[in-house]
Amino acid sequence: MPETQRRPESRYGNRPTMKDVAARAGVGLKTVSRVVNGEPGVTPETERRVQEAIDALGFRRNDSARVLRKGSTASIGLVLEDLADPFYGPLSRAVEEVARAHGALLINGSSAEDPDREQELALALCARRVDGLVVIPAGDDHRYLEPEIKAGVATVFVDRPAGQIDADCVLSDNFGGAREGVTHLVSHGHRRIGFIGDMPRIHTAAERLRGYRAAMEDAGIPVEDAWMSLGATDPLRVRRAAEEMLSGPVPVTAIFSGNNRVTVTVIRVLAERARRVALVAFDDLELADLLQPGVTVVAQDAATLGRTAAERLFGQLDGTLITPERIELPTRLVTRGSGELPPAD
């Protein structure tokens, strides 16, 4: 190639190899391999020389080559609904801590509540040879994962169950928690109680609505259609639903909100009104105890959900857990004042 046509050299150098380490340390390639992979058969002095060469050259083990040899990547994937949702922060952190304790790397991504995006992301992680998947499902058909599971990819669903396949799942008691929260409002004298939740196709939203209905039935209170609203959790939709329930000649005296994103908008709507309305929220939220009154919540333990799911996953990987199970964790009613307000009329 003529001088004028030469390609410019990359500003990045070549990665040092085990051959480079062996040459610098004055040992054989097999000796370097033993040190890098923590295998026995190397004297302390030789190991010291090899480690000094590794540090001097900035050598890093080629895990891609290791994957080809061992057939595992020491990595797991986590498919979340929304990385920005504060509920998933402690859940993700708990999964990561369990993975780290098992010497594995966590790779996560968001489905944005889109079933197609969930499938695309889960299969992309499988294509990168993760050893297992923890999935918060957006869709209700997970048969696309059957070939991956049969090929050995450990899989656990968390927060919502899998659809149309038999798989491990770790859930909160959404039905029981909602039932307890609404019963709490009834015990403080409320009979006109509104429910504002997420989209009805979502398992958690449907279970919380079922819990609301059960509590009202337990109390012998007929539920009016105008008291229930399920849909997207965007503020405009939730605001409209809350304002409609709080208007008219016979407004609701209490609201049960179906998740933390709904609750934030409901709190704003209630703050604009002179009449005090009771509120119980499913999911705790930051600063809920500092509002006046503090927000009474049905709290679920996101960290325990994540930890339990990850431990199930590694139980599958080490062969101790074979039969899929459905694990349901209890919720906890936290009273702070908003759920204890009596009806204003």
Side-chain angles (χ1 to χ4, degrees):
M1 180 183 293
E3 187 71 28
T4 57
Q5 295 181 9
R6 281 187 186 166
R7 294 175 182 168
E9 291 185 5
S10 170
R11 69 187 186 90
Y12 301 104
N14 294 324
R15 288 181 180 272
T17 66
M18 282 201 290
K19 286 183 179 180
D20 298 324
V21 174
R24 186 179 182 97
V27 298
L29 192 60
K30 183 61 178 175
T31 300
V32 175
S33 176
R34 283 176 176 155
V35 173
V36 168
N37 293 298
E39 297 172 358
V42 182
T43 66
E45 173 58 25
T46 301
E47 183 177 356
R48 181 189 63 78
R49 293 204 332 262
V50 171
Q51 192 58 56
E52 286 178 351
I54 288 171
D55 294 340
L57 293 171
F59 170 80
R60 295 291 182 271
R61 183 176 63 187
N62 183 348
D63 280 339
S64 296
R66 187 167 174 262
V67 167
L68 292 175
R69 291 195 307 272
K70 296 194 173 183
S72 66
T73 60
S75 65
I76 64 170
L78 172 60
V79 180
L80 296 164
E81 176 201 344
D82 183 357
L83 289 168
D85 189 326
F87 172 74
Y88 294 118
L91 188 154
S92 176
R93 178 63 180 270
V95 173
E96 185 175 25
E97 287 175 351
V98 174
R100 188 165 180 255
H102 286 82
L105 176 71
L106 177 67
I107 307 168
N108 59 29
S110 173
S111 70
E113 202 62 75
D114 180 348
D116 292 335
R117 172 62 182 155
E118 174 214 300
Q119 179 173 338
E120 175 188 341
L121 182 57
L123 292 179
L125 290 166
C126 290
R128 283 159 178 74
R129 302 281 298 277
V130 294
D131 301 323
L133 287 174
V134 175
V135 181
I136 297 170
D140 56 8
D141 184 351
H142 295 93
R143 287 175 293 180
Y144 70 87
L145 279 173
E146 284 183 330
E148 308 299 334
I149 295 172
K150 288 178 181 177
V153 178
T155 306
V156 177
F157 291 81
V158 64
D159 191 43
R160 308 166 187 173
Q164 302 192 48
I165 64 170
D166 190 20
D168 269 314
C169 64
V170 182
L171 315 170
S172 292
D173 182 9
N174 294 283
F175 169 78
R179 189 177 194 172
E180 182 181 18
V182 176
T183 298
H184 183 72
L185 289 168
V186 171
S187 72
H188 284 80
H190 295 278
R191 295 187 65 81
R192 302 196 304 274
I193 302 170
F195 174 87
I196 305 177
D198 208 333
M199 292 180 287
R201 66 174 177 80
I202 297 173
H203 170 81
T204 50
E207 284 295 286
R208 292 168 196 176
L209 175 62
R210 194 167 68 87
Y212 162 81
R213 283 182 171 279
M216 298 292 272
E217 184 178 348
D218 292 343
I221 303 173
V223 176
E224 297 186 14
D225 290 343
W227 297 352
M228 298 176 292
S229 178
L230 279 82
T233 58
D234 69 88
L236 287 178
R237 201 283 301 181
V238 174
R239 171 174 285 277
R240 184 163 52 250
E243 288 175 345
E244 288 175 356
M245 290 180 188
L246 295 167
S247 301
V250 189
V252 299
T253 63
I255 291 177
F256 183 80
S257 59
N259 66 29
N260 54 7
R261 285 168 292 184
V262 171
T263 302
V264 169
T265 302
V266 170
I267 289 171
R268 290 193 170 110
V269 172
L270 296 183
E272 298 166 0
R273 295 178 171 258
R275 183 170 62 94
R276 309 210 57 187
V277 177
L279 171 66
V280 173
F282 203 108
D283 288 337
D284 208 348
L285 64 159
E286 193 172 3
L287 305 182
D289 57 326
L290 299 182
L291 297 172
Q292 291 297 326
V295 181
T296 295
V297 301
V298 175
Q300 51 180 335
D301 191 337
T304 300
L305 277 171
R307 186 178 309 110
T308 304
E311 287 170 350
R312 293 289 306 180
L313 189 80
F314 283 99
Q316 290 180 27
L317 289 171
D318 65 22
T320 59
L321 298 175
I322 299 173
T323 304
E325 290 187 25
R326 178 187 176 108
I327 298 172
E328 198 164 79
L329 303 178
T331 57
R332 181 170 56 98
L333 181 69
V334 182
T335 57
R336 297 190 178 119
S338 71
E340 294 70 62
L341 294 173
D345 55 3

